[in-house]
Amino acid sequence: MTSSFFAEKEIYNGLLLSRTIILQELINFLMDYFLELLLGGLTKGSIYALIALGYTMVYGIIELINFAHGEIYMIGAFTALIAASILNMLGLGQITILILASILAIIYSSAYGFTMEKIAYKPLRHSPRLSPLISAIGMSIFFQNYVLLAQTSDFLPFPSLLPEFEFLQPYRHIIRSPEIFILFTTVVVMVLLTVLIKFTKVGKAMRATAQDRKMAMLVGVDVNKIISMTFVIGSSTAAIGGVLIASFIGQINFYIGFIAGIKAFTAAVLGGIGSIPGAVVGSLILGCTESFATGYVLSDYEDVFAFGLLVLILIFRPAGILGKSSSEKV
Amino acid sequence: MHIFEEIKKSTITAVWFVFLTFPIMVIRVNTIHKTIEWRWDNMIMVAVGSFALSFVWRYFMEHRQAPKPEAMGRGVPWIQNARQAIKHPVFFYSAIALLTVFAVIFPFIFSRYQVNIMTTALIYVMLGLGLNIVVGLAGLLDLGYVAFYAVGAYSYALLHLHYGLNFWICLPLGAGLAALFGIILGFPVLRLRGDYLAIVTLGFGEIIRLVLENWNEFSKGPSGIAEIPRPPIPGVELSLSESSVFLYFLVIILTLFTVFVVNRLRNSRIGRAWIALREDEIACQAMGVNKTATKLTAFALGATWAGMAGVIFAAKTTFINPASFTFLESAIILSIVVLGGMGSIVGVIASALILILLPEYLRAFSEYRMLLFGAVLVIMMVFRPQGLVSTVRQTYQFKGLKKDKEVG
């Protein structure tokens, strides 16, 4: 729209009316853009939340930053890709493929999480704090290169598995169906997880182990089994996140786990590591921050914003938003 | 039967790993041409490999003893004897002499290619020794060490590009700038506990790399900076191969300087403060060690060597771009320190040479280099957390009434 266009319009239609309309349209446009960014941020945030849960649960129980957790998510996405491609060639329907591929991804991710704990972390239960962390970094590098060597270093196109909803067509410019689907799935997973931890016997044992491992052992909790369980649950939510994001973005490679892992960790720390609602809140905040920062400020620096936020949080409020700050006991 | 029991366990492990690696190792899909490739030979490899390795794993698990505090650094008797033998002056000085002769004649008997590889390996020795100050001595896990390396390399490249400063001015400047960055990073993260510190330094390293990649006006972005001059000797015109030999000797001198400084630092007041801080922060503060200053000097001194190594790296390759400074580079340097033994100088030198030279000479293995680095980190942590060469603790012993001091 040029200024001459405005001038003509003003001559023909009168001054005030047209101005209101233009203003209205501008506001509408800005609102739409804002909503688009917000919903995009929430979608991203819910994916981070699915990964961050694994970090926060493992940290809650054995105080270990499971550096290789992002790689578990990547392996989940790869398993889903392989399964989906094969099922696609067999000519199954989209929803069937989505469900079967997700189940396989969950099974394999949990199996990897379980095995990783047995090999790299369990022998180090009583070592100094840095030992399991270094071991976790080793695991992360190992998994990345394992997938790189066994599969490929290229980006693989991921089939779009998420369903399209008819009723969302009019709002296409604001939100797409996969985003709604991701948000919905995340909410379901969160509810299930909350029920598991609050109301089941396993959940109770988990909470007990997190509070005091020795005491939990004394009252008859099989601590090793509970720790394995935690890894399995964390890995399966990461696998769900992997399937969703890969299908949403449409391509994966061996390196996606690293960045996603760091960001999910940022989210977990932001919310207060060890706290499950904290991980969700932190993830949503991180997702929105990234979305708004790239939408309004600078688009090249998305990762810089995430890491900058992490550094700031750790410096000013290491306990996070919902975490309890505790001083070290002597 | 004992044997059958063991075989059964290994079979179960093998079956589990076959299941685990099945989709990634066996199937490869081509999503564009819609074809599936089945690689059954990989499955046999995994089965046989995991069956054999599970025996080894269990054997070492059974013989793994937790390192007892008083036995730390003393180790197995034959190592102790070997240490004594090495200490013997005749042996010690002849070994030094042999090494010196070898180092001096190396560039004249081997090709330029070999000299370049050796220079790279020595740069990693410097990096390893620098990180050893931060991780090994002070116990601060720094995962963003490569950022300081990048600061050094870029400060030489940019100072040369914009102001035409030569190598000899940039070497101390790069080191100084890296130290400054070390302090800037170190200051806010002092309060953080070990594992948080690791993540913040990782974030910091990534921020530096991303800024270098995206800020085109400043750093020329992903395309990098080319035509960085090699170190000049005033008044002497050097050919390409002469200048790489010169660089080799320069790196040797700087490495020796590093070894000298790190060795002196370790036994100094500040070095002991680092070790004490690593062992017990609270007790250390109670004894009156200034925590802030001690940690900051560790960061700054560690970063100094990275900066220096960065300047040399830029001068050696004559081209730098942000892709040389990824997290993997930090991970390689960390593997060097962990494999060598945290705090041990000889160990770090040995492991840097092993980890950098082996993949160069075993070309067949170079593809698996990073895979092995990852495995090395895990295996070392599980079976030998003190590294190849564990540091000998400084101990004081009472022998009767006479107080006898033993310095290790």
Side-chain angles (χ1 to χ4, degrees):
Chain A
M1 282 191 213
T2 56
S3 55
S4 66
F5 178 78
F6 283 105
E8 272 174 35
K9 228 180 172 181
E10 278 177 349
I11 293 163
Y12 285 110
N13 295 346
L15 285 162
L16 280 172
L17 184 66
S18 69
R19 267 197 197 152
T20 0
I21 290 169
I22 289 167
L23 208 64
Q24 194 65 46
E25 283 201 340
L26 189 68
I27 289 174
N28 270 349
F29 173 73
L30 284 179
M31 265 320 274
D32 282 0
Y33 189 54
F34 175 80
L35 273 179
E36 191 191 332
L37 289 180
L38 179 71
L39 285 166
L42 287 179
T43 313
K44 223 183 218 174
S46 31
I47 298 286
Y48 291 156
L50 287 172
I51 311 170
L53 280 173
Y55 273 112
T56 221
M57 284 169 70
V58 167
Y59 192 90
I61 285 204
I62 52 174
E63 299 220 323
L64 159 76
I65 297 174
N66 182 9
F67 212 86
H69 188 62
E71 267 56 56
I72 296 290
Y73 145 91
M74 181 263 297
I75 285 173
F78 259 94
T79 314
L81 170 71
I82 291 164
S85 308
I86 292 175
L87 293 171
N88 203 11
M89 281 172 220
L90 293 177
L92 292 174
Q94 202 188 22
I95 297 294
T96 332
I97 294 179
L98 177 66
I99 292 170
L100 282 177
S102 307
I103 290 173
L104 277 173
I106 290 172
I107 290 174
Y108 270 98
S109 280
S110 327
Y112 271 95
F114 176 80
T115 314
M116 175 176 74
E117 197 267 330
K118 284 273 177 287
I119 290 177
Y121 306 143
K122 198 175 166 216
L124 297 174
R125 280 289 152 71
H126 304 290
S127 308
R129 282 181 77 99
L130 283 188
S131 300
L133 184 60
I134 293 174
S135 175
I137 294 167
M139 264 292 151
S140 162
I141 297 170
F142 184 86
F143 278 144
Q144 271 179 30
N145 287 278
Y146 158 67
V147 173
L148 167 71
L149 291 171
Q151 293 286 322
T152 169
S153 61
D154 303 330
F155 270 100
L156 291 175
F158 197 94
S160 140
L161 298 172
L162 306 182
E164 290 282 339
F165 300 115
E166 282 295 319
F167 66 90
L168 278 172
Q169 278 303 319
Y171 309 102
R172 262 193 76 82
H173 57 295
I174 303 175
I175 186 160
R176 289 177 290 160
S177 332
E179 291 181 329
I180 288 284
F181 188 80
I182 290 174
L183 286 173
F184 178 72
T185 315
T186 311
V187 171
V188 171
V189 171
M190 296 302 153
V191 170
L192 284 179
L193 201 64
T194 316
V195 170
L196 176 85
I197 286 173
K198 281 259 156 80
F199 302 111
T200 63
K201 212 169 173 189
V202 175
K204 209 174 192 176
M206 274 176 157
R207 281 181 286 146
T209 314
Q211 265 180 18
D212 190 332
R213 204 190 305 163
K214 229 173 234 166
M215 196 59 213
M217 229 186 275
L218 284 178
V219 294
V221 175
D222 187 345
V223 171
N224 283 332
K225 212 165 111 192
I226 291 299
I227 292 174
S228 293
M229 269 302 268
T230 315
F231 271 87
V232 165
I233 294 170
S235 305
S236 12
T237 59
I240 296 172
V243 177
L244 291 177
I245 191 75
S247 183
F248 181 59
I249 292 179
Q251 56 175 11
I252 56 172
N253 80 343
F254 73 97
Y255 201 61
I256 55 165
F258 181 70
I259 291 287
I262 298 291
K263 286 194 182 163
F265 175 77
T266 309
V269 172
L270 188 59
I273 197 153
S275 136
I276 288 174
V280 179
V281 172
S283 304
L284 294 180
I285 291 176
L286 180 71
C288 291
T289 314
E290 266 184 32
S291 180
F292 286 126
T294 50
Y296 287 127
V297 193
L298 271 170
S299 56
D300 288 341
Y301 287 89
E302 183 187 316
D303 295 348
V304 175
F305 284 116
F307 291 129
L309 191 65
L310 170 68
V311 172
L312 288 180
I313 289 288
L314 281 179
I315 292 164
F316 292 110
R317 197 173 153 74
I321 297 168
L322 296 183
K324 290 179 220 84
S325 58
S326 59
S327 54
E328 207 175 328
K329 287 176 211 120
V330 184
Chain B
M1 284 293 284
H2 188 64
I3 292 275
F4 284 118
E5 196 69 8
E6 292 289 308
I7 290 177
K8 197 180 137 199
K9 270 187 196 166
S10 284
T11 315
I12 292 171
T13 317
V15 169
W16 174 251
F17 274 95
V18 166
F19 161 75
L20 204 60
T21 54
F22 181 74
I24 308 267
M25 288 290 280
V26 177
I27 310 169
R28 177 147 61 185
V29 289
N30 189 326
T31 36
I32 297 159
H33 298 105
K34 303 233 176 240
T35 50
I36 307 173
E37 192 189 331
W38 300 86
R39 299 167 293 174
W40 296 109
D41 47 332
N42 278 350
M43 190 164 127
I44 296 164
M45 207 179 72
V46 168
V48 174
S50 55
F51 185 77
L53 280 179
S54 77
F55 280 110
V56 181
W57 177 268
R58 278 204 310 277
Y59 175 80
F60 279 109
M61 273 318 250
E62 272 164 30
H63 292 76
R64 181 178 87 116
Q65 69 269 62
K68 295 178 199 84
E70 69 269 21
M72 260 294 246
R74 304 206 148 250
V76 211
W78 68 265
I79 291 182
Q80 183 123 36
N81 293 338
R83 269 184 207 285
Q84 292 297 328
I86 288 169
K87 285 260 171 60
H88 195 275
V90 176
F91 190 85
F92 186 71
Y93 288 113
S94 54
I96 293 279
L98 266 178
L99 271 179
T100 318
V101 170
F102 179 71
V104 170
I105 62 168
F106 184 81
F108 303 110
I109 48 174
F110 290 103
S111 68
R112 194 160 71 86
Y113 171 73
Q114 312 284 342
V115 174
N116 276 339
I117 290 175
M118 195 45 110
T119 313
T120 312
L122 287 170
I123 290 177
Y124 276 97
V125 170
M126 280 176 73
L127 286 169
L129 287 171
L131 187 62
N132 197 16
I133 296 178
V134 187
V135 179
L137 295 180
L140 306 162
L141 186 55
D142 186 350
L143 295 181
Y145 193 63
V146 78
F148 307 126
Y149 188 39
V151 167
Y154 266 91
S155 51
Y156 176 39
L158 290 172
L159 286 173
H160 175 77
L161 191 72
H162 295 304
Y163 304 104
L165 296 184
N166 80 4
F167 176 83
W168 302 108
I169 302 172
C170 286
L171 189 63
L173 269 181
L177 275 174
L180 188 71
F181 266 82
I183 293 173
I184 291 173
L185 165 70
F187 206 68
V189 299
L190 283 174
R191 292 186 302 151
L192 300 177
R193 256 205 340 252
D195 34 9
Y196 281 128
L197 182 90
I199 300 291
V200 172
T201 49
L202 171 70
F204 181 77
E206 286 293 297
I207 288 176
I208 295 253
R209 186 178 64 81
L210 288 167
V211 167
L212 286 176
E213 213 154 76
N214 289 312
W215 194 1
N216 288 325
E217 301 81 41
F218 174 70
S219 66
K220 302 206 162 186
S223 52
I225 301 171
E227 289 180 10
I228 304 163
R230 294 191 172 78
I233 309 176
V236 183
E237 205 54 40
L238 288 174
S239 73
L240 194 62
S241 63
E242 277 168 352
S243 77
S244 62
V245 171
F246 175 60
L247 196 66
Y248 165 79
F249 281 115
L250 181 70
V251 175
I252 289 230
I253 292 167
L254 281 173
T255 310
L256 287 178
F257 177 61
T258 316
V259 171
F260 173 75
V261 172
V262 173
N263 194 32
R264 298 294 293 176
L265 273 175
R266 191 172 62 174
N267 292 325
S268 70
R269 192 181 168 82
I270 185 92
R272 290 181 190 195
W274 285 336
I275 295 170
L277 205 64
R278 175 187 75 188
E279 297 299 321
D280 193 329
E281 207 164 282
I282 293 166
C284 195
Q285 272 176 297
M287 296 302 289
V289 171
N290 184 346
K291 190 173 119 186
T292 315
T294 314
K295 280 191 178 177
L296 276 184
T297 43
F299 262 113
L301 283 172
T304 311
W305 301 114
M308 221 184 263
V311 175
I312 295 170
F313 172 75
K316 177 182 169 285
T317 54
T318 70
F319 167 76
I320 51 167
N321 70 348
S324 314
F325 306 105
T326 55
F327 168 69
L328 280 183
E329 209 68 21
S330 288
I332 293 174
I333 307 169
L334 183 68
S335 324
I336 289 173
V337 175
V338 169
L339 180 68
M342 294 196 211
S344 152
I345 294 174
V346 182
V348 168
I349 295 174
S351 76
L353 294 179
I354 293 171
L355 284 184
I356 305 301
L357 292 183
L358 267 192
E360 288 292 342
Y361 290 117
L362 303 173
R363 274 282 159 197
F365 271 121
S366 63
E367 221 180 309
Y368 301 98
R369 195 167 81 127
M370 289 314 295
L371 192 77
L372 288 178
F373 281 4
V376 158
L377 284 179
V378 177
I379 291 168
M380 289 308 281
M381 279 300 119
V382 173
F383 293 113
R384 211 178 147 74
Q386 70 271 40
L388 285 181
V389 183
S390 53
T391 42
V392 179
R393 276 291 178 80
Q394 214 141 29
T395 46
Y396 298 90
Q397 282 179 344
F398 292 98
K399 280 184 186 164
L401 288 171
K402 210 173 103 190
K403 198 155 72 174
D404 185 38
K405 193 171 116 182
E406 252 190 34
V407 179

